[in-house]
Amino acid sequence: MSLQVYSTLSRKKEPFETIEPKRVRLYVCGPTVYDKAHVGHAMSALVFDIIRRYLQYRGYEVKHVMNYTDVDDKIINRANKLGCDPFELAETYIQQYAQHLKDLNILPATVNPRATREMDEILKLISDLIAKGYAYEAGGDVYYRVEKKADYGKLSGRKLDDMRAGARIEVDERKENPLDFALWKAAKEGEPAWDSPWGKGRPGWHIECSAMSGAHLGEQIDIHGGGNDLIFPHHENEIAQSEAHTGKQFARYWIHNGMLQLSGEKMSKSLGNLITIEDFLASHPADALRLMVLNSGYRNPLTFNDEVIGQAEKALERLQSALKPAAPGAAGISPEALKALDEQTTTTRAGFESSMDDDFNSAGALGYLFELVRVINQARADGATDEQLKSAQDVLEELSGVLGLRLRLEKESHAADAFVDLLVEVRQDVRQAKLWELSDKIRDRLAAMGVQVEDAKSGSTWFWK
RNA sequence: GGCGACGUGGCCAAGUGGGAAGGCAAGGGUCUGCAAAACCCUGAUCACGGGUUCAAAUCCCGUCGUCGCCUCCA
């Protein structure tokens, strides 16, 4: 079975076929940079990182574009409030966000365009939409004419008539239809502004993505992604703009991640219930968050609280447990047992792939990895040598890596390793002499310094915790 | 009000017509000087009520509950 991908547009899984063989054009909506990013942003970035890594594992070359919205009402308001320059404010948060992505082991996008640096493309696109009759100028603003396009609403499953009925939209008599949305906003005094055929102003939110996607990935792309809160109006409007412009289908697959839930509610700035990425990383490993994301379907809401964070951290340790070295003095396991271990690695890879092929079912894939963990640990408990464990451990590490997990973390500096070795060796003599108090003291003190010592029948192993 | 999801053991969660994965927690056991780790064993009438089917957690209808979007939002 080949890769199946669920698309919001068709509301079903479809076979994944790219425009160009073995190449994927991926556009993911990035953040509006006016404040610290929270773990919900991280979830979305992680979801698409996992998708990207798996596509690469499957042999696709992925061109990944993630934009920064660096000019917008919220940025301007915030800058005014703080009395700083809006561009500097945006720059600060862009740098911070890029660092978060790095900390979270998220592969850098191929391109990170910014709205303010793509103004020519944006202006060209708006002009073309006006020329084609899909947009109109009104008092320095430019609006998209939603009624001009018959299939407006196809992504979110809405009809114009229904929307108007329960509309919570402010009335603006400059608009022909209250649902028309701004492509260009006339600048007010003191606001950042660019010259345009309609006077000084700045782009609306939706147009930048259409322009940047077109500029960096071409008229048609394979995957457009983002949080499911962007389906309407943002992505709906992107489709309208791009398809009105090119007359072609914009994105083949629309992939949307579910919202992270904090105490039963979506985490969002307006609700004020957010946990920043900074706060999270201050007290938890990055992979714990990744594991939480992996452990559930990316389209479903993700439960986020202290309990599940703790569960994820423990689960991470379990994955890592399989990479521990053989017991000291291991005698080796039988050829039959070794064969069973090899067979399990084959089963694991097959199961991993078939799960991930099914719309990136990472929770299913993880299940197979845990099975391999169990079998590796069984083999070690039965006396397998490092040599015998190696190929299974390599597969576990490789497949975990496909999910973006780093099981072998570089912990403390290696400078102290030789001293720890010495201490553990001396302690071994102490144990032989049955000086248990001293032996336990060494172990406790090492533990306090972050060294976990584990005793076995014929010796001890240790590692940085 | 409109549109759309979801409800699986104490917790998280996969599975979506025919054997209920996996992780965490809990209890019991093996190993061990002790500890830790690891290993072994133990648990689910799949929200509720109808219906379709030889067969339903999985399809259909209804009820209840939770959540998202419809305004900025990953």
mmCIF file with all atom_site columns, all heavy atoms in Angstrom, chain A residues 202-214:
data_model
loop_
_atom_site.group_PDB
_atom_site.id
_atom_site.type_symbol
_atom_site.label_atom_id
_atom_site.label_alt_id
_atom_site.label_comp_id
_atom_site.label_asym_id
_atom_site.label_entity_id
_atom_site.label_seq_id
_atom_site.pdbx_PDB_ins_code
_atom_site.Cartn_x
_atom_site.Cartn_y
_atom_site.Cartn_z
_atom_site.occupancy
_atom_site.B_iso_or_equiv
_atom_site.pdbx_formal_charge
_atom_site.auth_seq_id
_atom_site.auth_comp_id
_atom_site.auth_asym_id
_atom_site.auth_atom_id
_atom_site.pdbx_PDB_model_num
ATOM 1  N N   . ARG A 1 202 ? -0.513 48.525 3.347  1.00 0.00 ? 202 ARG A N   1
ATOM 2  C CA  . ARG A 1 202 ? 0.189  47.271 3.621  1.00 0.00 ? 202 ARG A CA  1
ATOM 3  C C   . ARG A 1 202 ? -0.715 46.097 3.223  1.00 0.00 ? 202 ARG A C   1
ATOM 4  O O   . ARG A 1 202 ? -1.931 46.250 3.100  1.00 0.00 ? 202 ARG A O   1
ATOM 5  C CB  . ARG A 1 202 ? 0.568  47.192 5.095  1.00 0.00 ? 202 ARG A CB  1
ATOM 6  C CG  . ARG A 1 202 ? -0.616 47.158 6.034  1.00 0.00 ? 202 ARG A CG  1
ATOM 7  C CD  . ARG A 1 202 ? -0.155 47.031 7.474  1.00 0.00 ? 202 ARG A CD  1
ATOM 8  N NE  . ARG A 1 202 ? -1.263 46.834 8.370  1.00 0.00 ? 202 ARG A NE  1
ATOM 9  C CZ  . ARG A 1 202 ? -2.036 47.805 8.859  1.00 0.00 ? 202 ARG A CZ  1
ATOM 10 N NH1 . ARG A 1 202 ? -1.827 49.067 8.492  1.00 0.00 ? 202 ARG A NH1 1
ATOM 11 N NH2 . ARG A 1 202 ? -3.021 47.523 9.681  1.00 0.00 ? 202 ARG A NH2 1
ATOM 12 N N   . PRO A 1 203 ? -0.114 44.935 3.042  1.00 0.00 ? 203 PRO A N   1
ATOM 13 C CA  . PRO A 1 203 ? -0.915 43.802 2.563  1.00 0.00 ? 203 PRO A CA  1
ATOM 14 C C   . PRO A 1 203 ? -1.849 43.261 3.630  1.00 0.00 ? 203 PRO A C   1
ATOM 15 O O   . PRO A 1 203 ? -1.572 43.363 4.824  1.00 0.00 ? 203 PRO A O   1
ATOM 16 C CB  . PRO A 1 203 ? 0.145  42.756 2.195  1.00 0.00 ? 203 PRO A CB  1
ATOM 17 C CG  . PRO A 1 203 ? 1.380  43.140 2.943  1.00 0.00 ? 203 PRO A CG  1
ATOM 18 C CD  . PRO A 1 203 ? 1.319  44.617 3.151  1.00 0.00 ? 203 PRO A CD  1
ATOM 19 N N   . GLY A 1 204 ? -2.938 42.675 3.210  1.00 0.00 ? 204 GLY A N   1
ATOM 20 C CA  . GLY A 1 204 ? -3.816 41.941 4.123  1.00 0.00 ? 204 GLY A CA  1
ATOM 21 C C   . GLY A 1 204 ? -3.139 40.627 4.477  1.00 0.00 ? 204 GLY A C   1
ATOM 22 O O   . GLY A 1 204 ? -2.126 40.252 3.899  1.00 0.00 ? 204 GLY A O   1
ATOM 23 N N   . TRP A 1 205 ? -3.731 39.945 5.424  1.00 0.00 ? 205 TRP A N   1
ATOM 24 C CA  . TRP A 1 205 ? -3.070 38.744 5.951  1.00 0.00 ? 205 TRP A CA  1
ATOM 25 C C   . TRP A 1 205 ? -2.999 37.616 4.920  1.00 0.00 ? 205 TRP A C   1
ATOM 26 O O   . TRP A 1 205 ? -1.970 36.962 4.761  1.00 0.00 ? 205 TRP A O   1
ATOM 27 C CB  . TRP A 1 205 ? -3.825 38.283 7.194  1.00 0.00 ? 205 TRP A CB  1
ATOM 28 C CG  . TRP A 1 205 ? -3.327 37.014 7.798  1.00 0.00 ? 205 TRP A CG  1
ATOM 29 C CD1 . TRP A 1 205 ? -2.022 36.596 7.851  1.00 0.00 ? 205 TRP A CD1 1
ATOM 30 C CD2 . TRP A 1 205 ? -4.093 36.003 8.428  1.00 0.00 ? 205 TRP A CD2 1
ATOM 31 N NE1 . TRP A 1 205 ? -1.939 35.386 8.492  1.00 0.00 ? 205 TRP A NE1 1
ATOM 32 C CE2 . TRP A 1 205 ? -3.200 34.997 8.862  1.00 0.00 ? 205 TRP A CE2 1
ATOM 33 C CE3 . TRP A 1 205 ? -5.465 35.848 8.702  1.00 0.00 ? 205 TRP A CE3 1
ATOM 34 C CZ2 . TRP A 1 205 ? -3.635 33.857 9.527  1.00 0.00 ? 205 TRP A CZ2 1
ATOM 35 C CZ3 . TRP A 1 205 ? -5.889 34.714 9.374  1.00 0.00 ? 205 TRP A CZ3 1
ATOM 36 C CH2 . TRP A 1 205 ? -4.981 33.736 9.780  1.00 0.00 ? 205 TRP A CH2 1
ATOM 37 N N   . HIS A 1 206 ? -4.100 37.383 4.211  1.00 0.00 ? 206 HIS A N   1
ATOM 38 C CA  . HIS A 1 206 ? -4.162 36.182 3.378  1.00 0.00 ? 206 HIS A CA  1
ATOM 39 C C   . HIS A 1 206 ? -3.307 36.261 2.122  1.00 0.00 ? 206 HIS A C   1
ATOM 40 O O   . HIS A 1 206 ? -2.794 35.259 1.647  1.00 0.00 ? 206 HIS A O   1
ATOM 41 C CB  . HIS A 1 206 ? -5.610 35.908 2.994  1.00 0.00 ? 206 HIS A CB  1
ATOM 42 C CG  . HIS A 1 206 ? -6.558 36.065 4.133  1.00 0.00 ? 206 HIS A CG  1
ATOM 43 N ND1 . HIS A 1 206 ? -6.479 35.270 5.253  1.00 0.00 ? 206 HIS A ND1 1
ATOM 44 C CD2 . HIS A 1 206 ? -7.568 36.945 4.358  1.00 0.00 ? 206 HIS A CD2 1
ATOM 45 C CE1 . HIS A 1 206 ? -7.427 35.640 6.115  1.00 0.00 ? 206 HIS A CE1 1
ATOM 46 N NE2 . HIS A 1 206 ? -8.093 36.666 5.597  1.00 0.00 ? 206 HIS A NE2 1
ATOM 47 N N   . ILE A 1 207 ? -3.163 37.465 1.597  1.00 0.00 ? 207 ILE A N   1
ATOM 48 C CA  . ILE A 1 207 ? -2.526 37.600 0.286  1.00 0.00 ? 207 ILE A CA  1
ATOM 49 C C   . ILE A 1 207 ? -1.055 37.210 0.312  1.00 0.00 ? 207 ILE A C   1
ATOM 50 O O   . ILE A 1 207 ? -0.505 36.693 -0.655 1.00 0.00 ? 207 ILE A O   1
ATOM 51 C CB  . ILE A 1 207 ? -2.705 39.056 -0.242 1.00 0.00 ? 207 ILE A CB  1
ATOM 52 C CG1 . ILE A 1 207 ? -2.413 39.123 -1.745 1.00 0.00 ? 207 ILE A CG1 1
ATOM 53 C CG2 . ILE A 1 207 ? -1.839 40.048 0.527  1.00 0.00 ? 207 ILE A CG2 1
ATOM 54 C CD1 . ILE A 1 207 ? -3.441 38.448 -2.602 1.00 0.00 ? 207 ILE A CD1 1
ATOM 55 N N   . GLU A 1 208 ? -0.420 37.438 1.462  1.00 0.00 ? 208 GLU A N   1
ATOM 56 C CA  . GLU A 1 208 ? 1.021  37.166 1.500  1.00 0.00 ? 208 GLU A CA  1
ATOM 57 C C   . GLU A 1 208 ? 1.328  35.693 1.252  1.00 0.00 ? 208 GLU A C   1
ATOM 58 O O   . GLU A 1 208 ? 2.308  35.360 0.594  1.00 0.00 ? 208 GLU A O   1
ATOM 59 C CB  . GLU A 1 208 ? 1.602  37.604 2.848  1.00 0.00 ? 208 GLU A CB  1
ATOM 60 C CG  . GLU A 1 208 ? 1.018  36.804 4.012  1.00 0.00 ? 208 GLU A CG  1
ATOM 61 C CD  . GLU A 1 208 ? 1.668  37.171 5.341  1.00 0.00 ? 208 GLU A CD  1
ATOM 62 O OE1 . GLU A 1 208 ? 1.392  38.277 5.813  1.00 0.00 ? 208 GLU A OE1 1
ATOM 63 O OE2 . GLU A 1 208 ? 2.422  36.347 5.879  1.00 0.00 ? 208 GLU A OE2 1
ATOM 64 N N   . CYS A 1 209 ? 0.477  34.818 1.802  1.00 0.00 ? 209 CYS A N   1
ATOM 65 C CA  . CYS A 1 209 ? 0.756  33.397 1.626  1.00 0.00 ? 209 CYS A CA  1
ATOM 66 C C   . CYS A 1 209 ? 0.583  32.978 0.168  1.00 0.00 ? 209 CYS A C   1
ATOM 67 O O   . CYS A 1 209 ? 1.357  32.177 -0.350 1.00 0.00 ? 209 CYS A O   1
ATOM 68 C CB  . CYS A 1 209 ? -0.145 32.553 2.532  1.00 0.00 ? 209 CYS A CB  1
ATOM 69 S SG  . CYS A 1 209 ? 0.392  32.598 4.263  1.00 0.00 ? 209 CYS A SG  1
ATOM 70 N N   . SER A 1 210 ? -0.442 33.503 -0.471 1.00 0.00 ? 210 SER A N   1
ATOM 71 C CA  . SER A 1 210 ? -0.623 33.191 -1.885 1.00 0.00 ? 210 SER A CA  1
ATOM 72 C C   . SER A 1 210 ? 0.585  33.678 -2.681 1.00 0.00 ? 210 SER A C   1
ATOM 73 O O   . SER A 1 210 ? 1.102  32.982 -3.560 1.00 0.00 ? 210 SER A O   1
ATOM 74 C CB  . SER A 1 210 ? -1.885 33.876 -2.431 1.00 0.00 ? 210 SER A CB  1
ATOM 75 O OG  . SER A 1 210 ? -3.036 33.212 -1.961 1.00 0.00 ? 210 SER A OG  1
ATOM 76 N N   . ALA A 1 211 ? 1.031  34.887 -2.376 1.00 0.00 ? 211 ALA A N   1
ATOM 77 C CA  . ALA A 1 211 ? 2.141  35.466 -3.122 1.00 0.00 ? 211 ALA A CA  1
ATOM 78 C C   . ALA A 1 211 ? 3.440  34.697 -2.876 1.00 0.00 ? 211 ALA A C   1
ATOM 79 O O   . ALA A 1 211 ? 4.180  34.381 -3.802 1.00 0.00 ? 211 ALA A O   1
ATOM 80 C CB  . ALA A 1 211 ? 2.322  36.938 -2.724 1.00 0.00 ? 211 ALA A CB  1
ATOM 81 N N   . MET A 1 212 ? 3.698  34.379 -1.617 1.00 0.00 ? 212 MET A N   1
ATOM 82 C CA  . MET A 1 212 ? 4.965  33.727 -1.286 1.00 0.00 ? 212 MET A CA  1
ATOM 83 C C   . MET A 1 212 ? 4.993  32.288 -1.754 1.00 0.00 ? 212 MET A C   1
ATOM 84 O O   . MET A 1 212 ? 6.013  31.788 -2.207 1.00 0.00 ? 212 MET A O   1
ATOM 85 C CB  . MET A 1 212 ? 5.212  33.815 0.214  1.00 0.00 ? 212 MET A CB  1
ATOM 86 C CG  . MET A 1 212 ? 5.475  35.253 0.645  1.00 0.00 ? 212 MET A CG  1
ATOM 87 S SD  . MET A 1 212 ? 6.035  35.362 2.340  1.00 0.00 ? 212 MET A SD  1
ATOM 88 C CE  . MET A 1 212 ? 4.495  35.546 3.181  1.00 0.00 ? 212 MET A CE  1
ATOM 89 N N   . SER A 1 213 ? 3.851  31.636 -1.655 1.00 0.00 ? 213 SER A N   1
ATOM 90 C CA  . SER A 1 213 ? 3.781  30.269 -2.145 1.00 0.00 ? 213 SER A CA  1
ATOM 91 C C   . SER A 1 213 ? 4.043  30.251 -3.646 1.00 0.00 ? 213 SER A C   1
ATOM 92 O O   . SER A 1 213 ? 4.830  29.446 -4.154 1.00 0.00 ? 213 SER A O   1
ATOM 93 C CB  . SER A 1 213 ? 2.396  29.703 -1.830 1.00 0.00 ? 213 SER A CB  1
ATOM 94 O OG  . SER A 1 213 ? 2.266  28.414 -2.365 1.00 0.00 ? 213 SER A OG  1
ATOM 95 N N   . GLY A 1 214 ? 3.419  31.169 -4.347 1.00 0.00 ? 214 GLY A N   1
ATOM 96 C CA  . GLY A 1 214 ? 3.620  31.267 -5.793 1.00 0.00 ? 214 GLY A CA  1
ATOM 97 C C   . GLY A 1 214 ? 5.062  31.578 -6.146 1.00 0.00 ? 214 GLY A C   1
ATOM 98 O O   . GLY A 1 214 ? 5.643  30.990 -7.061 1.00 0.00 ? 214 GLY A O   1
#
